[in-house]
Each structure stands twice: as C-alpha cells, then as structure tokens.
Amino acid sequence: MAKLIQLLQGIATTIELTGDDLIIGRLGDCGLQIHDGLVSRKHARVFKKGQTYFVEDLGSGNGTSINSKKIEGPVALKNEMQFKIGPAIFRFEDLAQPSSQRNSVVAGHLAAAGAGGILKVEVDDDDQRSNTQTSHTTGFGKLNVNPESKLKAVLEISRALAGAVELDLILPKILEALFQIFPFADRGCVLIMDKALGKMVPRATMHRRSNQDETVKLSRTILRKVLEEKTGILSGDAPNDPRFNSSESINLLIRSMMCVPLIGLDEMPIGVINIDTQNTFNQFNAGDLDLLMVVAGQAAMCYEQANLLVTAMEKQKQDKEMQIASEVQRSLLPTALPQIPGWEFFASYDSAQEVGGDYYDAFFVDGGKKVCLAFGDVAGKGVPASLIMSRIATVVTNVMTFVGDVQEAVQRINHQMCTRAVDGRFVTFVLSVIDVTSGEMTIAIAGHMPMMIRKNDGTIVEFGDEIVGVPIGVIDDFPYEIATRVILPGETCVIYTDGVSEAMNPANDLYGVDRLRQRMQQSTGGNAEELGKVILDDVRQFADGRPQNDDITIMVFGRK
C-alpha cells in the first residue's frame, strides 16, 4: 500500500493513498487540506497511472518542488522520494518498490577536505543563546541503526585508528566511520584548536551529496556552548531550534545535527565533531548523541596519542641533531694540549646541555716558542651560545695566526665579533701568550674573572684584576690593557667559568670564589691535572646531586 508522510509544523501525519487521485490545496473540498497562505486553493495532485504514482503541480502560485527545484509537468514518484508544497514536506513510501538504498548510492560522494576543496566550514555569527539541550523526535522515527551495528562500528573505528600516526589521516577516518554509523548523515566536519591562531579551524570535512552547496555552517552559539560546557549538543529539529539562525537551517536544509567536543588529555577541548542531515524523516536522537560522544572520546584519545607520538619522533630527531651539534662543537676544542718539558696543561669542558657556550683552546705560536691560551664564556646556554662559541673559536685562530702582540690581538678579536654581533650575546674572554722558555706570560682579560695563581708557599693571588675590560662583542675598538708576569717553577694557574663559582646545591647555596680559593690552598697535588680534578670533584660534591645549571669549564696550567 502506497502512502504519503507529511511533515508540517513538526508534526508527522500519514496519508494512505487509497484512491487514484489526491488533490492537495487550501480549499475545504481538497482531499488533503493545508491551511497556509503559501498554498494555493488547488495546489497539486498525486495520482496513480498504472502501477506508478505521479505528483503534478496544478498551476500554483508558489509551485511544487523536489530537491529545491520546481517541477514542470507530472513527475513519477519513487520510494522515499520527497517533495515540498508550501511549508509542508512529503515523503512518498511504496512498499511494493525497493528501498532507494540512499546510503549505498551516494557513498561514492564521500570526500575529504583536501581532495579538491569541495567542502567549506563557516561559523555563523549569531548572538542567540540557549541554556537547554534539544533532543526533539517526532513521528518520523529515529535513525535506522540497530545497537549491534553501532557497537560494530565503534569497534571498527577503534581498529581503524589503532596505530595511526599521521594526524591528517586520522580525522578523515573518523568521519568515514561516522558515516557508516549514521547512514543518513549528509555532512560532517572536524575542527581542531589552532593554538597559534587561538581558534578552531577545520581539519577534515566530508559529505555525501555532490550536486548541492556543501558548505558546513556551524552556529557560533552552539560551538561556544560545546567548548565552554564540554558537552554534546543535539538538535533533532533544526528549523525550529532557537539556537540556529532562522535562515541558516532553511537555506541549507539542515533538519537535524549533532556537535560534540573532543576532550584532550588535560580535560580541555582540543576540537569538535559536527555532523548533520538533510533527511526530513530521520533525525538524530539522544542515543545517537551518546554514541557520538563515545566515538569522540575514542577519537580524541587516538588523536592525542598520535600527536604525542609525532612530538616524540620530532624530539628524537632534535636529540639526534643536537648530538651531532655537540660532536661538531667538541671538535672545535683541542684534542690534545701542548706537551712541553717543564710545563703541565689540563682542561675540562662539561656543558649543561647538549651544546654550550664555554670555550678554550691551547696552541703553539711564534714557531713553537710560545703557547697561546684562549678561554671564553658566551652569555647564555644552549644552541645560541654554541653558535657564538664556534664563531669566536674561528676568529681567535685566524687572528693569532698573524698577530703576535696580545693587546693588538684581543682588539682585533673584539672588532671582528662586534662587526656581526648578536644583541645580548657577548663573550667574557681571557687571552694569554706564554714564553715557554722564560716563563713570561702576557694576558688580556675581557670581562672575565681574574686568573687565580697558587704560589709555591700555598698562597693564592688573583692576577689581572686591574686590567679587566668589557666583554668581547660589546664595544668596538675598546682599548684593552695587558698585564705581564713570570710564572715561576712550582706555580699553578687556574682559569674557570662562572659554572664553577656559581654552582648551586639543593639549598641554593653558591660554591663561590672563596671555596675555590680554599680548595686550591688545601690541595697537595703536585701537577695541573690533579689540581683540576680536585676542583671539579669538589664542585660536584658541593652540588650534591642538583642538576648542573651552567657550563663548567676549567683550565689549569703551570711550571713543574
């Protein structure tokens, strides 16, 4: 038996087609009367010819439409076909005809956002608000999905997302699964919070229909409510829902929609899933909303896991690159210190991070008659400091190759570093040249701590305090001064960075220069290497397990 199902003002009515001709209009003698100014007195008729039913407009003022297009002449009705007369929507059902199988017919029209840019997402800027959640169902029934199918679909989406690591592939998979769970869904989209922009942006979209405007419009009011209250929103009857702009649902033919949040690991929304249907006779219900919330929870977890995995992989890559950078930086330090009869040299470099800003070098100059010692500490730590460190290492080598005078050399080094200086990146620096025959040492100090010398009687003196100038890279053409002193047999010199003097223990106490001086006095070590290791061991013992907060570099040298 054929029949019409009429939807008018949210009420569903079934009209059995018992005769061969049904007149629809405003007059009382019509077989189906509709009291509305948009309906003509005799508007249209549904008639049977042979085994086929037809709908025909009777010259009405507003016309009769199928799929938003006015019909001209009789149009054969097929099972589940819909047509509109004024405010009323009709669905034709004939059990003698096979189902239109809409879901399988249009399945080929599924499309992801990146495939040609067919589907857009817009947020409707309406100001209407509602504090209630709508779950309207009428006599048209619920979506044609049984619990077994839903459970199967949830399991399938879990399997589909399991192990997925590419974020751009996860979200379309979610929508594909949802379109299987809800066969009457027409459009779907996933919005993800873009932290840089501070707003939700569409990351995946999908649709079934290819012959209509596929723009997905979201009510700003509903989107705000979903995000602020972390709850799902269901509208089973969008045209009559006050949360929608009245023109929005009519123009886009949205009959029912659901919007749910994607909750991240920190219990904050990371995005939303929105799906809607234009199907007049199948609206979403509370059970569908519950199911979508479950799917959203699973999807959010998979998305977060994939995000964490991507972050971990990026961290691995960065760690590997930092390891390479560390190896490159250490290659700039001398692999071996000068071996000179009657002299001892020791140096140690321990960065707080993979790379650091401390620097030292020791090499022969003047045909091997003298030794140049360079020692520096770049302001800051990490990669920026390491880049400055590599530059000054190159500059020192180039300058000392052609300049023998310490005062001229330090001024040239400062000039080159000032030429391409980076704001806030200066270098405290010590440059000394030692005549290995006479023991005479000439030194220039640019913003660094004075050299500490342990004399033969065990007393400690600070050498160079009166000539300390500004750090390298601060003031171009600064007139650095020099100091000269003969290192006597048995004397040992120590140059250190503030990673030593400013090392801290769990109680936030500083190691300090006084403790360094005391350790040098108490040490009975007879050579530079032993004294250097004693100082380093004492610094670590003082720190008592507290993580190192700055690069620790020390250079110890002296005459036997």
Side-chain angles (χ1 to χ4, degrees), residues 482-549:
I482 59 174
T484 303
R485 184 186 192 282
V486 175
I487 302 176
L488 300 175
E491 291 186 336
T492 306
C493 306
V494 176
I495 311 176
Y496 60 95
T497 62
D498 54 9
V500 174
S501 58
E502 295 180 4
M504 301 181 71
N505 62 15
N508 294 327
D509 299 323
L510 290 177
Y511 183 81
V513 176
D514 291 340
R515 178 162 178 146
L516 174 61
R517 184 183 294 107
Q518 184 180 12
R519 176 50 59 196
M520 289 178 62
Q521 287 177 331
Q522 294 174 349
S523 176
T524 58
N527 58 58
E529 180 177 0
E530 185 172 343
L531 176 58
K533 290 182 177 180
V534 166
I535 294 173
L536 292 174
D537 289 343
D538 191 55
V539 171
R540 295 188 181 97
Q541 184 178 1
F542 173 82
D544 193 20
R546 176 165 178 160
Q548 182 179 335
N549 61 1

Side-chain angles (χ1 to χ4, degrees), residues 193-213:
M193 174 60 73
D194 188 316
K195 295 182 179 179
L197 298 177
K199 65 179 182 179
M200 293 285 175
V201 296
R203 292 290 298 273
T205 52
M206 193 164 286
H207 66 90
R208 293 186 193 273
R209 305 188 181 200
S210 60
N211 60 347
Q212 296 183 11
D213 179 16

Side-chain angles (χ1 to χ4, degrees), residues 260-271:
V260 299
L262 293 168
I263 304 299
L265 298 176
D266 58 355
E267 299 299 323
M268 296 300 294
I270 61 173

Side-chain angles (χ1 to χ4, degrees), residues 392-411:
I392 193 171
T394 303
V395 170
V396 169
T397 302
N398 291 338
V399 170
M400 295 308 298
T401 300
F402 302 101
V403 180
D405 182 75
V406 173
Q407 188 173 29
E408 181 183 356
V410 71
Q411 289 174 346

Side-chain angles (χ1 to χ4, degrees), residues 211-356:
N211 60 347
Q212 296 183 11
D213 179 16
E214 299 301 337
T215 302
V216 175
K217 283 194 176 181
L218 302 181
S219 165
R220 190 176 299 277
T221 299
I222 288 182
L223 185 59
R224 186 188 301 114
K225 185 178 181 69
V226 168
L227 295 175
E228 291 179 354
E229 300 184 11
K230 305 178 190 177
T231 184
I233 294 293
L234 162 68
S235 181
D237 187 8
N240 297 312
D241 193 327
R243 293 170 298 187
F244 286 90
N245 186 309
S246 59
S247 62
E248 174 188 315
S249 57
I250 294 175
N251 292 339
L252 294 178
L253 299 178
I254 297 173
R255 307 306 305 182
S256 181
M257 58 76 63
M258 293 187 294
C259 186
V260 299
L262 293 168
I263 304 299
L265 298 176
D266 58 355
E267 299 299 323
M268 296 300 294
I270 61 173
V272 298
I273 298 177
N274 183 91
I275 60 174
D276 66 58
T277 179
Q278 299 177 23
N279 192 287
T280 307
F281 305 98
N282 292 274
Q283 290 88 41
F284 299 117
N285 56 54
D288 299 320
L289 182 64
D290 291 340
L291 177 60
L292 185 57
M293 287 291 290
V294 173
V295 172
Q298 177 72 12
M301 181 168 53
C302 291
Y303 185 83
E304 286 280 73
Q305 288 175 344
N307 212 356
L308 290 173
L309 182 57
V310 169
T311 302
M313 293 172 66
E314 292 176 350
K315 179 66 166 57
Q316 270 188 340
K317 181 180 178 182
Q318 291 175 357
D319 289 346
K320 187 175 182 179
E321 292 175 350
M322 290 298 291
Q323 184 178 359
I324 295 173
S326 177
E327 293 172 358
V328 171
Q329 184 182 30
R330 287 187 177 276
S331 69
L332 298 175
L333 301 176
T335 56
L337 297 176
Q339 300 292 321
I340 306 171
W343 289 85
E344 296 174 331
F345 295 89
F346 170 80
S348 174
Y349 169 78
D350 187 10
S351 62
Q353 302 176 12
E354 285 289 336
V355 291

Side-chain angles (χ1 to χ4, degrees), residues 5-69:
I5 299 179
Q6 173 188 272
L7 178 63
L8 180 62
Q9 295 179 350
I11 300 175
T13 306
T14 300
I15 301 100
E16 301 290 345
L17 297 177
T18 55
D20 293 338
D21 198 345
L22 174 66
I23 303 298
I24 304 173
R26 199 171 67 246
L27 292 179
D29 59 353
C30 292
L32 178 59
Q33 186 181 21
I34 302 177
H35 298 283
D36 192 281
L38 296 176
V39 179
S40 299
R41 292 183 295 174
K42 287 190 177 182
H43 195 109
R45 70 170 182 145
V46 175
F47 64 95
K48 184 178 182 182
K49 187 175 181 180
Q51 299 299 318
T52 304
Y53 281 88
F54 294 82
V55 61
E56 179 184 16
D57 188 77
L58 299 178
S60 65
N62 294 309
T64 302
S65 59
I66 296 178
N67 292 332
S68 300
K69 294 182 179 179

